[in-house]
Amino acid sequence: MARSLTTSLNTLTTVAGAGCSGNTASTLNSPRGIFVDIDLNLYVADCNNNRIQRFQSASSNAITVAGTGSINVTIDLNNPVAIVLDADNYLFIVDYGNNRIVGSGSNGFRCISGSISNMLTSPTSMAFDSRGNIYVVDQGNNRIQKFVRLNNNQTPTYNQPRFCANATWDSNGTTFVVESTPNGLFIDTNNTVYIPNRSNNRIYIWFNNDTSPTITLYGNLSLPKSLFVTMNGDIYVDNGKINGRVDLFTLNSNTSISVMSVPGNCYGLFIDISNTIYCSVDSANQVFKKWLGDNSSVITTVAGNGSNGSASNLLRSPFGIFVDTNFNLYVADYGNNRIQLFQLGQQNGITINITIALNGPIDIILDGDQYLFFSDHNNHRIIGSGPYGFRCIIGCSNSSGAATDQLNKPRSIAFDSFGNLFVVDSNNNRTQKFRFLTASCGDEITTQLLNTTTSSLMNNIISSASSCNLLNPCENQGTCLDNTTSVYGYSCLCKSGFNGANCQNNQQICKSSTCWNNGTCNQTSNTTFVSLCQSDWSGEYCQNMIDHCQNITCENNGICLSVFKNYTCQCLDTSYSGRYCEIDNTNTAVLKMISKSVAYVVIVFFISAALYIVIMDILKYYFGIDLAKVKPSETQKKKKHRPVIHQFIYIVDKSHLAELQRTTKKT
């Protein structure tokens, strides 16, 4: 309905819907939120039809722009209840039934908050502020949530250089510093180096090109294992061994404050671009996070459930962590000899397909192209990746040692802004610097391989080694075949579901992101698939949570709320409680009061008895007064007095008989 505010007439006009429920272009079924753009187009959240309808001005027939029946491929909706448009007319939808906020943009629709991570429960409405932050009425959690818009100009404080495909580093390192029991490492974009020292519980800081520490920080630290530095110079340090927390230091102060409570050492510490801090606790087999803008002590588990295991939702001694700008979490799963990727909101990790056998991966970083570099702790080497796959780049003899080209139990790694790689070589009590060889990315192999259209240059390259051995170019487990007739000197035999010159194109129907909520995708043909959903989920993509409130009745006006694999009754009247709000708390309170009263009487009785005994003992042993014998003594005197009277009565001395009689009469 609509009414003009410029007239005094109280007349309503129907602008959408036919007055009866339906799913045609002219009908609606339980319409909820609406939005009118500057062109007077009306957008309606058509709740029970699981769609968003757009009614152009003066038109009674709508176009479905999102959800069921959309003219374009969008996203599945489940009871949308509110809608907002941004300045570019992109849609933002409160998807009530899926517990999420859906947004659109130049690349289509996507979930922007809630859903799988269960950040929201039954959201009902939303709004933007002037800075683009989103406020959501999170009805099921009885709160208003604010989701901060990330500035695209936000840049990491750590170095992420970009390398060519054939980038190499000097195999002989130079010793940056010798120190006892080094562990963590951080290098900021100004090439300031930060290293925690476990032997003396201090943080050493080297400014660019300094040969000795410029600043030393200390202050109630306990065996610090890691640290992270933000853009404003704040230094976050692991202090979890004994103190169970993460501390914040400023650059020129040895006074710290606690910012996060943790159940053990943070072997990995990271702060993402949304100011959320992450901590990996190997003893707990979990990775935790906390938004630094939250003053509460509550932390959230983002990976692992506390159990030790190798399933996709488990970890075994997680150490190094890294969070990219898309909030994907990478974990060096030390005890399982693997690198795990946890996408935003996912509790099940994806094991990175690394073609090299690992033994204790312990730290991980990403370069500017999102290629992985990590320390293979027990193999005493550093592994790097690129367009041609994974390869050893430092310490490639697989044997430990203290020579310049050897490592012994390497731990933390980091790049400086020039692409040089720093490695904490723990068992050698040193931090090594391995120089990036810029000549390896000159106009040599890479340029020739990628740009030439003749085979003459390639023939010169492959004269000393085959192209397959040199490049290892085939992705997705494709098989490389040397082929001198090819421009590149090789050809790739791709596995089923992949194509392209390097098998780089994934044509499989079932991908890691096809089925949501840990569902399994089974391809049934070249174009179809079937989803095997985990319990509590249903739908084509396992996107719908099962309603466990069906056939459940909450007593005394309670409301049933469906939760993961269960349900709960929310008792609106505080006088009731219990599984179904069936317990009358008033009667319970009366019974409790009576029970307490009886208990109090019994307690007073026993206390009084105890005091009586104590007082009696004090009078008896300290003052010689035995109250227990006083009354018996008096009774005995009375008993003795009666016989005396009887003696007077029964005396037979005749000489005194007359006197006795006179005495008796007087008495």
Side-chain angles (χ1 to χ4, degrees):
M1 299 291 184
R3 176 185 179 272
S4 175
L5 297 178
T6 60
T7 179
S8 60
L9 297 177
N10 191 20
T11 303
L12 297 177
T13 303
T14 300
V15 294
C20 59
S21 65
N23 60 3
T24 65
S26 62
T27 57
L28 300 168
N29 190 350
S30 189
R32 298 292 180 89
I34 59 175
F35 193 96
V36 182
D37 65 19
I38 58 175
D39 297 320
L40 304 183
N41 297 313
L42 170 66
Y43 293 80
V44 181
D46 192 9
C47 181
N48 287 356
N49 283 325
N50 301 315
R51 65 186 182 180
I52 303 298
Q53 297 289 86
R54 183 181 69 195
F55 293 85
Q56 294 180 322
S57 181
S59 177
S60 60
N61 289 323
I63 299 172
T64 303
V65 294
T68 303
S70 173
I71 57 176
N72 300 310
V73 178
T74 56
I75 195 169
D76 289 335
L77 301 176
N78 185 4
N79 295 132
V81 295
I83 185 170
V84 178
L85 269 66
D86 68 8
D88 295 317
N89 283 337
Y90 288 120
L91 301 175
F92 292 81
I93 305 164
V94 179
D95 195 11
Y96 177 89
N98 286 324
N99 303 303
R100 64 183 180 177
I101 306 299
V102 173
S104 65
S106 57
N107 295 320
F109 284 83
R110 70 200 187 279
C111 175
I112 59 176
S113 63
S115 188
I116 301 170
S117 60
N118 293 321
M119 296 167 59
L120 301 172
T121 301
S122 302
T124 57
S125 58
M126 61 166 291
F128 289 106
D129 65 14
S130 60
R131 294 179 173 85
N133 306 313
I134 298 177
Y135 292 76
V136 180
V137 176
D138 190 13
Q139 178 181 262
N141 290 318
N142 300 308
R143 63 187 182 181
I144 308 295
Q145 289 285 82
K146 177 183 178 181
F147 296 91
V148 180
R149 176 180 178 268
L150 300 179
N151 188 346
N152 292 330
N153 295 324
Q154 288 179 286
T155 57
T157 57
Y158 45 88
N159 297 292
Q160 288 189 289
R162 297 178 181 268
F163 302 105
C164 67
N166 297 293
T168 57
W169 287 258
D170 192 341
S171 60
N172 292 293
T174 58
T175 301
F176 175 76
V177 62
V178 176
E179 58 174 342
S180 178
T181 61
N183 198 89
L185 173 66
F186 189 92
I187 304 176
D188 66 20
T189 53
N190 296 318
N191 292 324
T192 301
V193 180
Y194 305 77
I195 299 177
N197 188 295
R198 290 179 292 162
S199 63
N200 58 15
N201 295 317
R202 299 192 175 191
I203 308 297
Y204 293 117
I205 303 172
W206 290 261
F207 288 157
N208 191 17
N209 298 320
D210 284 352
T211 57
S212 59
T214 309
I215 296 176
T216 301
L217 298 180
Y218 55 89
N220 197 28
L221 292 173
S222 173
L223 302 174
K225 297 293 194 300
S226 59
L227 77 169
F228 194 98
V229 184
T230 60
M231 188 67 72
N232 59 2
D234 290 338
I235 305 168
Y236 294 81
V237 184
D238 162 55
N239 195 10
K241 180 66 175 180
I242 296 175
N243 297 319
R245 65 178 191 253
V246 176
D247 285 353
L248 166 62
F249 289 83
T250 57
L251 189 60
N252 296 308
S253 174
N254 286 310
T255 302
S256 64
I257 61 173
S258 175
V259 296
M260 184 182 188
S261 298
V262 291
N265 270 128
C266 297
Y267 275 87
L269 200 62
F270 202 96
I271 299 175
D272 67 21
I273 59 175
S274 70
N275 211 31
T276 297
I277 187 170
Y278 297 74
C279 164
S280 63
V281 182
D282 76 309
S283 58
N285 301 303
Q286 290 175 290
V287 180
F288 304 95
K289 74 174 182 179
K290 176 182 179 292
W291 182 49
L292 291 173
D294 185 0
N295 293 325
S296 73
S297 60
V298 179
I299 60 176
T300 303
T301 302
V302 289
N305 66 5
S307 298
N308 184 330
S310 59
S312 61
N313 65 330
L314 300 178
L315 299 169
R316 181 178 283 120
S317 296
F319 281 83
I321 55 177
F322 194 99
V323 183
D324 64 20
T325 54
N326 294 317
F327 307 104
N328 298 311
L329 168 67
Y330 294 81
V331 181
D333 193 10
Y334 179 87
N336 286 319
N337 299 316
R338 66 186 183 181
I339 303 296
Q340 291 293 89
L341 166 62
F342 294 87
Q343 296 176 322
L344 178 62
Q346 293 282 0
Q347 292 297 317
N348 285 331
I350 301 171
T351 302
I352 302 297
N353 184 22
I354 300 173
T355 55
I356 300 175
L358 306 180
N359 189 358
I362 202 167
D363 196 25
I364 183 170
I365 56 177
L366 272 67
D367 70 6
D369 294 313
Q370 306 295 295
Y371 289 118
L372 302 179
F373 293 77
F374 53 90
S375 52
D376 194 12
H377 187 67
N378 296 323
N379 282 327
H380 317 289
R381 64 186 179 178
I382 307 300
I383 303 296
S385 65
Y388 304 135
F390 289 87
R391 68 193 191 282
C392 177
I393 58 174
I394 295 170
C396 301
S397 65
N398 289 343
S399 61
S400 64
T404 58
D405 62 343
Q406 290 180 311
L407 300 169
N408 192 347
K409 301 290 186 180
R411 297 186 70 90
S412 301
I413 59 176
F415 289 114
D416 67 11
S417 62
F418 303 105
N420 304 313
L421 184 61
F422 288 67
V423 180
V424 173
D425 191 15
S426 61
N427 279 15
N428 286 323
N429 294 312
R430 66 187 182 181
T431 298
Q432 294 289 88
K433 176 182 177 181
F434 295 89
R435 183 171 58 90
F436 169 56
L437 301 178
T438 57
S440 63
C441 288
D443 295 331
E444 298 178 355
I445 297 178
T446 303
T447 303
Q448 295 169 4
L449 288 179
L450 299 181
N451 296 331
T452 185
T453 57
T454 63
S455 61
S456 58
L457 294 174
M458 182 59 64
N459 291 333
N460 293 330
I461 295 172
I462 63 176
S463 61
S464 59
S466 72
S467 296
C468 288
N469 292 334
L470 181 66
L471 303 176
N472 189 25
C474 301
E475 302 178 20
N476 298 305
Q477 301 180 6
T479 302
C480 186
L481 303 174
D482 290 320
N483 183 0
T484 57
T485 62
S486 170
V487 172
Y488 303 109
Y490 68 87
S491 58
C492 289
L493 181 63
C494 303
K495 295 183 66 176
S496 176
F498 298 92
N499 60 25
N502 296 328
C503 306
Q504 73 274 18
N505 300 322
N506 188 350
Q507 301 297 314
Q508 299 179 105
I509 298 296
C510 291
K511 299 180 174 64
S512 60
S513 60
T514 301
C515 295
W516 298 9
N517 303 300
N518 304 323
T520 301
C521 178
N522 287 337
Q523 186 170 337
T524 55
S525 71
N526 292 331
T527 58
T528 61
F529 68 92
V530 174
S531 296
L532 300 179
C533 302
Q534 297 283 338
S535 58
D536 219 53
W537 299 96
S538 64
E540 184 180 3
Y541 304 99
C542 303
Q543 76 277 16
N544 299 324
M545 179 179 285
I546 295 174
D547 185 8
H548 294 283
C549 285
Q550 293 182 359
N551 303 318
I552 299 298
T553 302
C554 299
E555 301 179 17
N556 300 302
N557 298 320
I559 299 175
C560 183
L561 299 176
S562 182
V563 296
F564 187 66
K565 294 185 179 181
N566 211 332
Y567 65 89
T568 182
C569 286
Q570 183 175 348
C571 306
L572 301 181
D573 190 342
T574 57
S575 301
Y576 297 94
S577 62
R579 175 70 165 167
Y580 302 97
C581 302
E582 77 279 11
I583 300 174
D584 190 342
N585 294 331
T586 304
N587 294 335
T588 304
V590 172
L591 293 174
K592 288 183 178 179
M593 186 178 297
I594 295 173
S595 300
K596 287 182 179 179
S597 300
V598 173
Y600 291 151
V601 171
V602 173
I603 291 171
V604 170
F605 172 78
F606 281 108
I607 292 174
S608 301
L611 288 174
Y612 174 78
I613 295 171
V614 171
I615 293 171
M616 294 289 287
D617 287 343
I618 293 173
L619 292 174
K620 179 179 180 180
Y621 294 106
Y622 287 93
F623 299 99
I625 302 172
D626 191 352
L627 297 179
K629 295 183 178 181
V630 172
K631 292 182 180 179
S633 179
E634 293 177 350
T635 304
Q636 290 174 3
K637 288 180 180 181
K638 291 180 181 179
K639 289 181 179 180
K640 291 179 180 180
H641 183 68
R642 292 191 187 101
V644 171
I645 297 173
H646 292 173
Q647 288 176 357
F648 279 102
I649 295 172
Y650 295 100
I651 291 176
V652 294
D653 190 349
K654 293 181 179 180
S655 63
H656 293 84
L657 180 59
E659 181 65 23
L660 175 61
Q661 292 174 345
R662 286 194 297 269
T663 303
T664 303
K665 288 179 181 181
K666 289 178 181 181
T667 303

